[in-house]
């Protein structure tokens, strides 16, 4: 935490040329980065005071054919949340692990791999199964995964008898 | 804080042995359950006579716990379905969203919270007002205005201010895109309106298209059952709105205005793509349509979608009938009529105007030249009221007058001769059309207006739409409710006014039309012209005597089967006013039915 | 020595939901630990994409059983930010009542929860009984004891019922009276001390490494890192309260901080009762139309609140339609519940594992979702 002044935005611009924009909520910022420069930017941001990785997740923009990795960082002194976003090719989603910067990302990376199929180069563990046991379909948070169809195909349909207690109905009018 | 106590300090807890416990005794849990709070979300209760079976509760349910089940003893009627919600307590999460959104306010939850049974079927439950254990349980969770999940207030529509009376400019300005989308968002897509619409229009579907901003789909949905989209989007009697699910607790969805939004805002390409998507090539036979009013146009359009070649015979110079010559410009601009008719023309329908069947060409000829004939000649004559003085030349009639106004407005005729003061007899929508057109012409000619209306009915019984009265009063109409016309006073061959007497009752004890009057309350409504707008009637010049005897009913209508086929003349079909009485949307509906019936008959004819 | 594999859970090891840790032990000592989540994985994030914005209200509280309201709060805050609607003043204060009652309830549960692993069941009974009185309040306000579905986007679902503030005052008085008793009988009890003092240490460096927030972070770093102070939501900027901290984080310190936080919650609630507007609207519509067609303008936002276990957040993405495009849940205990167990549970004894879970605040449903 070397640089915790609240002008991290300017420093970031000066040193990396990247511009953080204001987010939708107060004290929230958004930063779009290229996949290639994401890793070093995150390292820079951590040095700049964003000591905590609050969340690492992913969005499937299936129509655009991209995944968007989302890193939510927290700067506790300033109370700033920074949403760092990087686009990945949906066909070949690859990224470099950030566990060297934020060790806490290890499980998030496993989760994003499990649910979206994003590969994290440089991590030995990201492919270890986490939540899903013996999963046999595409990563389920992808938009083209249809849970209804999956469960219809996987489990026998339970027919409800639907014996409704036929309470006597008085017809008015 | 770190100072520890003796190992035995919990012994102090012994004193709790003598305190009142905060827990309940087990046996009380079932026998004597504790009273749940007033808002408790327990089992559902549903007042089955209030519930309209709209299924909105089932739609919002996040756990798919509600199925709509047909209930024996209920009938599917206007504004109500015969289904009621049934709950699967294996799924229900007791969120109460179904209660918050219930359109009729019939659904609530009780304070009961225990249901124990070894019979799994008893967890499927179709509630009535008495609840799951069929004993009176106190009401628990209920909707209030804060937890409301419907939008009860309709989007306002801009309209011309009352100074509009000096011109025929359209009054309602239509919804903007934002307004339309927000209005469309109010619909819960229950389809109750569809059942009531005479044409069974796909209302929830086209409202959905508005919401999705998919104009082409919207047009397609409209044209599935109604080729007079512009006309009906403006002047339909919108019976659907009377039964709209939202109307039980709020203002109904503005179904008609949303239809109008679609036709007004669809691009030319979207419009055509939607309107003409199901029109096919000429492959079948030839059909003649007599009369180009709503039913004729509708029948012709749907015959085209079924592959028939269609010719429409029209006695006037322009096709359209009542929509071309009846409805006033300030409600139904010429451009709208033109758009509907041109779309039907684009569908391949041929119009033969200035040709009156029965005069210029006989029905027999049509029979010989075509495979089938459809009659949609409408109510083309005004009914006279034979009171003293009715034969005076300044006694005028609604239908020819309105036609002359429209001809004038499209530069096809002179300005109608209108005096400074006029009296209108009648209290329906047509009477208001006449009166309000008169106001406009008087303003144009004299800069001032004076129109009296003598209406037999009282204000509560009024036949016209409420907005006609409201807007008419804004424009300065002088409306006399419950006054019956007695005679026209004529001095020196000039009309001076109309004698009216206060009406005591319109119907006699047997319910027959037989007005009785209060002779002590009489007055004269001043005016030099009297306009009769008490009703219309059909003209059957094309029917020979033999046919008249066989097909006309006592009320002067044509007797038909369901599809509009005329008994004894299988090649002949009819629809619209002459079958059901005057109403545009009925015309559209019967025209469509007849097209299907004609197709069926021609396909199955030996 | 032979290494033996032992399973902790998933049958509800204490109060933490169905969660499992595979422990490789040598004698009593844990050599290796493998957190095994997923027993409560219900695919909430996927389900939420398939339900209406309002319908999700039935799902989200289920992500944390004991403190469900934080879910409703972050969900509402996110939608309010995206739709740019202002919450009525009174609703802010009502929300604080709910959130602080929730905090009290879960701290009571946690103090009760320490009874299990330490064998001091008095704590369990008292904690749970006390919590039930708070649930009574929830039932009166929201209509349900556990899954309240009360904080809704735009405000709260209904105004407070009549007389509830008197009931609240009564519960607070009673709780305040009992707290010293609990302290004496539980937190200062020699059994507890023997078992949890100087046990399960969490050094400040590990906090940053894992990304631990909440009491864990505050007990180790001494920093007042509480979102209610750092970026106040609702009306937390208009009430006075302290953020208890420490610089030595063992299990006892963390229990003590929970205990102190309860006093602060009571303090906040008393101020809320005094300062909240006596009436006025409590809900603003965030969208026109019926709930079947509520929409939220396209965009994405992350909202977070201070839960009893730290930063609890939702990342919400809308594409402008009637259903969310994507919602990601940041469970506050993700850090300590997964990597934390894997890296730092080894070295402790088997019977300490549950103390780890209880005092670190590991809540499996929010990890699994
Ligand atoms: S209470 Fe909720 S889950 Fe149950 S039936 Fe109603 S909407 Fe469905
Ligand atoms: S929403 Fe109400 S009126 Fe409609 S079906 Fe359900 S219970 Fe009946
Ligand atoms: S317009 Fe009204 S009746 Fe028709 S589907 Fe919508 S809510 Fe139901």
């Amino acid at each position: 935490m070397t640089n915790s002044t609240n002008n991290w935005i300017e420093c970031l611009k000066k040193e990396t040329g990247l511009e953080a924009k204001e987010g939708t909520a107060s004290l929230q910022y958004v930063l779009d980065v290229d996949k290639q420069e994401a890793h070093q930017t995150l390292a820079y941001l951590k040095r700049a005071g964003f000591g905590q990785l609050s969340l690492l997740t992913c969005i499937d923009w299936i129509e655009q054919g991209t995944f968007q990795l989302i890193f939510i960082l927290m700067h506790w002194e300033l109370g700033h949340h920074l949403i760092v976003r990087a686009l990945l090719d949906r066909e070949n989603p690859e990224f470099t692990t950030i566990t060297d910067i934020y060790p806490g990302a290890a499980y998030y990376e496993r989760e994003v791999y499990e649910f979206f199929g994003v590969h994290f180069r440089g991590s030995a563990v990201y492919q270890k199964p986490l939540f899903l046991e013996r999963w046999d379909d595409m990563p389920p948070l992808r938009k083209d995964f249809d849970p209804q169809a999956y469960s219809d195909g996987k489990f026998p349909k339970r027919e409800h008898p639907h014996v409704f207690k036929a309470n006597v109905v008085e017809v008015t009018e | 804080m770190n100072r520890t106590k003796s190992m035995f300090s919990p012994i102090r807890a012994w004193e709790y042995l003598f305190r009142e416990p905060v827990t309940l005794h087990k046996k009380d849990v079932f026998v004597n359950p504790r009273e749940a709070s007033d808002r408790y979300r327990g089992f559902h209760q549903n007042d089955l006579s209030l519930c309209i079976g709209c299924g909105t509760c089932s739609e919002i349910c996040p756990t798919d716990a509600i199925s709509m089940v047909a209930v024996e003893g209920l009938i599917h009627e206007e504004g109500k379905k015969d289904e009621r919600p049934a709950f699967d307590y294996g799924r229900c999460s007791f969120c109460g969203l179904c209660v918050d959104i219930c359109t009729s306010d019939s659904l609530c939850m009780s304070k009961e919270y225990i249901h124990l049974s070894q019979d799994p079927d008893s967890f499927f439950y179709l509630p009535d007002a008495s609840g799951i254990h069929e004993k009176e349980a106190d009401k628990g969770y209920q909707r209030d205005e804060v937890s409301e999940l419907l939008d009860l207030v309709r989007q306002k529509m801009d309209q011309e201010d009352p100074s509009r009376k000096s011109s025929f400019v359209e009054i309602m300005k239509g919804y903007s895109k934002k307004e339309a989308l927000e209005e469309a968002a109010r619909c819960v897509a229950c389809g109750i309106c569809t059942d009531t619409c005479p044409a069974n229009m796909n209302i929830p579907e086209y409202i959905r298209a508005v919401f999705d901003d998919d104009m082409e789909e919207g047009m397609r949905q409209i044209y599935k059952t109604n080729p007079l989209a512009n006309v009906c989007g403006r002047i339909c009697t919108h019976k659907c709105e009377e039964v709209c699910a939202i109307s039980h607790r709020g203002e109904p969805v503005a179904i008609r205005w949303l239809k109008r939004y679609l036709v007004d805002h669809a691009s030319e390409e979207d419009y055509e793509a939607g309107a003409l998507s199901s029109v096919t090539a000429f492959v079948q036979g030839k059909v003649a349509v007599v009369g180009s009013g709503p039913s004729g146009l509708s029948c012709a359009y749907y015959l085209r979608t079924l592959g028939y070649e269609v010719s429409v015979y029209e006695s006037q110079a322009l096709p359209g009938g009542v929509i071309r010559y009846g409805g006033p410009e300030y409600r139904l601009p010429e451009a709208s009529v033109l758009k509907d008719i041109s779309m039907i023309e684009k569908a391949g329908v041929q119009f033969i105007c200035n040709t009156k069947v029965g005069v210029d060409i006989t029905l027999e000829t049509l029979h010989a030249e075509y495979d089938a004939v459809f009659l949609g000649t409408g109510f083309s004559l005004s009914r006279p009221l034979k009171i003293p003085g009715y034969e005076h030349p300044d006694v005028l009639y609604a239908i020819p007058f309105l036609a002359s106004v429209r001809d004038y407005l499209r530069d096809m005729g002179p300005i109608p001769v209108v005096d400074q003061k006029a009296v209108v007899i009648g209290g329906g929508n047509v009477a208001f059309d006449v009166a309000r057109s008169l106001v406009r012409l008087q303003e144009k000619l004299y800069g001032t207006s004076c129109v009296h209306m003598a209406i037999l009915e009282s204000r509560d019984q009024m036949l016209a739409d409420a907005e006609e009265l409201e807007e008419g009063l804004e424009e300065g109409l002088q409306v006399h409710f419950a006054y019956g016309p007695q005679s026209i006073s004529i001095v020196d061959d000039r009309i001076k006014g109309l004698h009216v007497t206060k009406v005591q009752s319109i119907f006699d004890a047997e319910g027959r039309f037989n007005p009785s009057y209060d002779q002590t309350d009489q007055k004269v409504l001043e005016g030099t012209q009297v306009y009769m707008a008490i009703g219309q009637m059909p003209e059957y010049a094309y029917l020979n005597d033999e046919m008249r005897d066989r097909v006309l009913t006592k009320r002067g209508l044509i007797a038909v089967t369901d599809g509009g086929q005329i008994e004894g003349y299988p090649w002949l079909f009819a629809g619209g006013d002459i079958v059901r009485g005057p109403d545009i949307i009925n015309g559209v509906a019967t025209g469509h039915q007849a097209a299907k019936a004609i197709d069926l008959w021609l396909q199955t004819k030996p | 020595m032979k290494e033996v594999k032992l399973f902790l859970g998933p049958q509800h090891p204490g109060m933490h939901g169905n969660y499992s840790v595979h422990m490789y032990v040598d004698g009593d000592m844990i050599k290796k630990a493998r957190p095994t989540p997923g027993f409560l994985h219900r695919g909430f994030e996927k389900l939420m994409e398939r339900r209406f914005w309002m319908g999700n209200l039935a799902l989200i509280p289920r992500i944390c059983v004991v403190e469900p309201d934080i879910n409703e709060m972050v969900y509402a805050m996110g939608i309010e930010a995206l739709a740019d609607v202002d919450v009525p003043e009174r609703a802010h204060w009502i929300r604080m009542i709910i959130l602080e009652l929730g905090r009290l309830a879960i701290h009571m549960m946690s103090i009760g929860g320490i009874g299990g692993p330490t064998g001091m069941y008095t704590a369990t009974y008292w904690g749970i009984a006390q919590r039930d009185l708070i649930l009574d309040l929830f039932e009166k306000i929201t209509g349900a004891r556990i899954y309240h579905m009360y904080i809704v986007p735009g405000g709260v679902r209904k105004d407070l019922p009549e007389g509830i503030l008197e009931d609240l005052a009564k519960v607070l008085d009673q709780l305040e009276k009992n707290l010293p008793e609990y302290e004496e009988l539980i937190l200062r009890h020699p059994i507890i001390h023997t078992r949890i003092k100087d046990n399960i240490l969490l050094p400040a460096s590990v906090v940053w490494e894992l990304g631990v927030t909440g009491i864990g972070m505050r007990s180790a770093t001494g920093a007042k890192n509480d979102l209610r102070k750092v970026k106040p939501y609702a009306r937390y900027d208009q009430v006075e309260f302290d953020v208890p901290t420490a610089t030595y984080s063992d299990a006892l310190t963390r229990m003590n901080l929970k205990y102190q936080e309860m006093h602060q919650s009571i303090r906040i609630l008393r101020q809320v009762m005094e300062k909240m507007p006596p009436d006025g609207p409590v809900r603003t519509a965030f969208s026109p139309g019926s709930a079947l067609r509520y929409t939220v303008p396209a965009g994405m936002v992350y909202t977070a609140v201070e839960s009893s276990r730290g930063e609890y957040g939702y990342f919400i993405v809308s594409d402008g339609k009637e259903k969310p495009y994507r919602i990601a849940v940041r469970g506050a205990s993700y850090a300590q519940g997964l990597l934390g167990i894997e890296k730092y549970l080894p070295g402790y004894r088997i019977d300490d594992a549950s103390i780890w879970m209880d005092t670190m605040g590991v809540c499996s449903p929010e990890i699994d979702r």
Side-chain angles (χ1 to χ4, degrees), chain C residues 107 213-220 254 257-258 261 308-309:
Chain C
H107 281 341
T213 52
I215 286 185
M217 182 184 225
R218 293 192 289 271
S219 61
R254 293 192 292 270
L257 289 198
K258 286 186 190 183
E261 279 199 358
S308 67
R309 305 168 300 288

Side-chain angles (χ1 to χ4, degrees), chain C residues 174-243:
Chain C
Q174 196 253 10
L175 177 62
E176 207 167 32
K177 203 177 104 235
N178 286 353
L179 277 181
E181 210 159 62
Y182 298 155
E183 181 186 351
E184 205 163 296
L185 286 171
I186 302 168
L187 292 180
R188 293 203 201 156
H189 194 272
I191 297 181
I192 300 270
H193 269 242
T194 323
R195 292 286 289 110
I196 74 174
K197 193 166 165 2
D198 299 327
N199 199 0
I200 325 280
L201 299 183
L202 182 69
S205 59
V206 172
V207 167
W208 286 110
E209 179 195 339
L210 301 179
V212 173
T213 52
I215 286 185
M217 182 184 225
R218 293 192 289 271
S219 61
T221 62
K224 292 186 188 304
N225 284 348
D226 184 319
L227 285 169
R228 291 174 295 174
K229 287 278 190 208
V230 174
K231 43 193 323 183
Y233 46 95
R235 288 291 175 258
Y236 281 108
D237 50 349
Q238 295 180 24
V239 291
E240 283 173 19
F241 64 101
D242 296 326
V243 179

Side-chain angles (χ1 to χ4, degrees), chain B residues 259-273:
Chain B
K259 181 159 51 210
R260 168 171 167 184
Y261 165 79
L262 277 169
V263 296
D264 285 359
H265 289 251
S267 69
E268 206 58 43
E269 299 84 67
D270 286 347
Y271 197 115
E272 273 199 44

Side-chain angles (χ1 to χ4, degrees), chain B residues 392-599:
Chain B
H392 191 280
D394 284 342
V395 172
L396 300 157
Y397 291 92
I399 288 180
F401 169 68
L402 289 172
S404 69
V405 176
R406 290 217 69 136
D407 271 341
Y408 157 65
L409 289 172
R410 60 184 158 240
D411 291 331
M412 288 179 65
I415 187 161
V417 183
V418 166
D419 288 352
Q420 251 172 315
K421 288 182 174 176
V423 183
V424 176
I425 302 176
N429 284 334
V430 175
F432 276 91
D433 291 347
V434 170
R436 296 175 66 189
S437 296
L438 279 169
V439 166
R440 283 167 171 74
L441 291 170
Q442 287 173 341
E443 291 284 343
K444 190 161 195 94
L445 290 167
Y446 312 111
T448 160
S449 59
C450 175
V451 176
H452 290 278
M453 288 185 80
I455 299 181
L456 199 62
E457 295 83 14
S458 69
R459 199 183 178 119
D460 309 334
Q461 302 162 318
M462 181 181 71
L463 302 172
D465 295 339
E467 67 232 32
E468 286 288 351
L469 175 65
E470 192 185 312
E471 293 169 9
L473 291 175
E474 279 174 16
E475 292 163 7
L477 287 185
Q478 302 180 43
V479 181
H480 306 270
F481 282 112
Y483 277 95
Q486 304 301 326
S487 64
I488 295 164
S489 96
I490 300 172
V491 178
D492 293 341
D493 258 5
R494 279 291 279 164
I495 293 181
K496 280 280 160 217
L498 178 73
H499 270 287
V500 292
T501 308
K502 188 81 188 173
V503 176
Q504 269 172 335
S505 67
I506 299 179
F507 299 99
D508 63 16
E510 275 95 60
R512 279 190 305 253
F513 179 80
N514 185 13
S516 64
Y517 297 98
D518 174 3
Q519 297 299 343
T520 63
D521 185 353
Q522 304 198 358
K523 58 186 177 184
V524 176
L525 307 179
E526 259 184 65
T528 51
Q529 286 176 320
V530 171
Y531 288 81
M532 297 216 174
I534 58 161
Q536 297 93 263
M537 52 188 196
E539 190 202 351
Y540 297 118
Y542 48 83
L543 293 182
N544 59 34
D545 292 344
E546 182 211 328
M547 287 179 99
R548 266 172 218 245
D549 287 347
R550 285 181 65 180
V551 307
L552 290 189
T553 67
K554 270 199 225 96
R555 289 172 57 214
L557 300 179
I558 293 187
V560 295
T561 62
D562 271 353
Q565 201 164 24
I566 298 175
E567 225 174 305
Y569 304 88
W571 51 274
L572 194 58
F573 295 75
D577 298 358
I578 56 174
V579 166
R580 289 236 195 127
D583 182 36
I584 290 176
I585 190 67
N586 264 322
V588 171
T590 48
H592 189 183
Q593 283 155 12
K596 287 190 275 191
I598 290 170
D599 180 50

Side-chain angles (χ1 to χ4, degrees), chain B residues 63-331:
Chain B
T63 62
D64 282 344
I66 305 180
S67 7
M68 299 303 293
V69 173
V71 170
E72 224 176 298
L74 288 184
I75 37 167
H76 194 117
E77 56 190 318
E78 279 205 3
K80 269 190 179 185
K81 297 191 183 174
D82 56 359
E83 300 176 329
R84 294 294 179 265
F87 295 75
D88 176 352
Y89 283 132
R91 304 192 68 107
C92 174
S93 68
F94 298 92
C95 64
L97 290 175
C98 49
V99 174
D100 285 340
I101 206 169
C102 172
T103 56
S104 72
D105 227 0
S106 64
L107 194 65
C108 71
M109 289 161 120
S110 75
K111 289 191 190 177
E112 285 175 295
Y113 52 88
I114 296 176
H115 175 67
L116 272 180
S117 171
Q118 295 191 335
D119 170 17
D121 282 358
S122 73
F123 290 81
F124 300 106
Y125 158 56
L126 194 150
D128 60 14
S130 71
I132 189 165
H133 298 123
E134 284 170 35
K135 61 172 193 228
E136 284 304 314
D138 288 344
K139 283 189 176 173
Y141 189 82
Q142 282 163 283
R143 182 192 57 77
D144 65 17
E145 63 283 7
V146 185
S147 67
E148 176 68 74
L149 292 180
L150 293 177
D151 187 347
L152 301 178
V153 185
R154 177 186 271 224
Q155 289 289 317
K156 293 276 163 295
M157 185 181 278
D158 277 352
Q159 60 185 79
E160 293 288 333
D161 62 42
S163 68
R164 64 186 176 239
K165 65 179 174 183
S166 52
S167 79
F168 280 82
V169 55
E170 185 170 24
I171 296 173
M172 303 309 289
K173 293 189 177 171
Y175 280 142
S176 67
K177 178 167 169 179
K178 178 170 176 290
E179 289 164 339
L181 260 59
E182 295 192 358
E183 183 64 20
R186 298 178 60 222
C187 168
V188 294
C190 61
I192 291 221
C193 46
T194 298
D195 296 336
T196 293
C197 169
N200 298 127
M201 289 194 71
N202 295 347
I203 296 168
E205 288 82 0
Y206 70 69
I207 292 184
R208 175 79 215 184
V210 172
F211 181 72
D212 289 340
D213 201 18
D214 184 347
M215 305 306 262
E216 185 190 326
E217 171 66 11
M219 293 316 302
R220 190 176 8 252
Q221 292 293 351
I222 291 179
Y223 270 81
K224 274 188 183 174
T225 50
N226 188 343
L228 296 184
N230 280 277
V231 170
C232 290
R234 286 179 155 79
I235 60 168
C236 180
T237 42
H238 57 81
K239 298 189 171 71
C240 51
E241 294 180 16
E242 282 161 31
V243 297
C244 171
I246 312 295
S247 71
H248 289 265
R249 299 201 280 106
E251 297 170 328
V253 176
I255 301 174
R256 183 176 57 169
W257 294 144
L258 287 174
K259 181 159 51 210
R260 168 171 167 184
Y261 165 79
L262 277 169
V263 296
D264 285 359
H265 289 251
S267 69
E268 206 58 43
E269 299 84 67
D270 286 347
Y271 197 115
E272 273 199 44
L276 303 181
S277 61
S278 52
V279 172
T280 50
F282 300 109
V283 285
Q284 315 270 11
K286 276 168 71 184
V287 181
V289 168
V290 185
S292 65
S295 67
L297 289 173
S298 167
C299 184
Y301 172 83
Y302 289 108
L303 284 169
R304 279 298 304 113
T305 66
L306 294 166
Y308 292 88
E309 196 181 328
V310 190
S311 308
V312 178
Y313 289 85
E314 170 58 49
S315 62
Q316 301 276 2
L318 296 168
V322 63
I323 60 174
R324 200 68 179 249
Y325 289 96
E329 173 88 16
Y330 55 84
R331 285 225 170 282

Side-chain angles (χ1 to χ4, degrees), chain C residues 25 30 45 56 70 86 96 101 118 140 163 228 262 267 276 279 298 307:
Chain C
V25 299
I30 303 169
E45 294 181 357
N56 277 328
I70 47 172
D86 285 328
M96 281 164 70
L101 281 177
T118 56
K140 282 186 191 144
R228 291 174 295 174
M262 290 206 279
R267 195 171 150 203
M276 73 186 292
D279 41 36
S307 76

Side-chain angles (χ1 to χ4, degrees), chain B residues 1-13 15-16 19 22-23 34-42 56 59-64 91-97 100-101 141-144 146-151 155 182 184-189 204 207-208 211-212 246, chain C residues 51-52 54-59 62 120 122 126 129-130 133 136 138-145 147-150 156-162 174 177-178 181-185 187-191 193 197 252 256 259-260 282-283 287-295 321-322:
Chain B
M1 187 72 93
N2 283 338
R3 187 177 54 88
T4 56
K5 300 289 282 192
S6 140
M7 187 75 184
F8 299 103
S9 62
I11 294 191
R12 254 198 61 201
E15 73 181 70
Y16 279 83
R19 289 202 201 162
V22 291
T23 45
R34 79 182 241 294
E35 168 93 323
S37 73
D38 289 343
R39 290 182 177 177
Y40 194 76
R41 299 199 296 264
T56 311
E59 285 298 312
I60 191 82
C61 176
T63 62
D64 282 344
R91 304 192 68 107
C92 174
S93 68
F94 298 92
C95 64
L97 290 175
D100 285 340
I101 206 169
Y141 189 82
Q142 282 163 283
R143 182 192 57 77
D144 65 17
V146 185
S147 67
E148 176 68 74
L149 292 180
L150 293 177
D151 187 347
Q155 289 289 317
E182 295 192 358
R186 298 178 60 222
C187 168
V188 294
I207 292 184
R208 175 79 215 184
F211 181 72
D212 289 340
I246 312 295
Chain C
R51 271 162 187 72
F52 296 120
M54 278 310 286
N56 277 328
L57 268 189
L59 292 180
R62 289 173 162 77
M120 251 276 297
T122 319
W126 287 4
Q130 187 70 52
L133 298 178
D136 283 349
F138 276 131
E139 183 187 322
K140 282 186 191 144
I141 300 175
T142 71
R145 297 178 74 79
Y147 299 127
H148 310 135
M149 301 170 211
Y150 181 67
V156 293
R157 194 163 172 192
K158 278 169 180 269
D159 205 341
L160 291 176
E162 249 168 73
Q174 196 253 10
K177 203 177 104 235
N178 286 353
E181 210 159 62
Y182 298 155
E183 181 186 351
E184 205 163 296
L185 286 171
L187 292 180
R188 293 203 201 156
H189 194 272
I191 297 181
H193 269 242
K197 193 166 165 2
L252 182 64
N256 278 330
Y259 178 76
Q260 290 170 38
V282 293
R283 186 176 187 177
S287 163
S290 78
L292 298 177
R293 290 192 180 163
Y294 283 170
T295 53
K321 304 249 171 64
E322 307 108 283

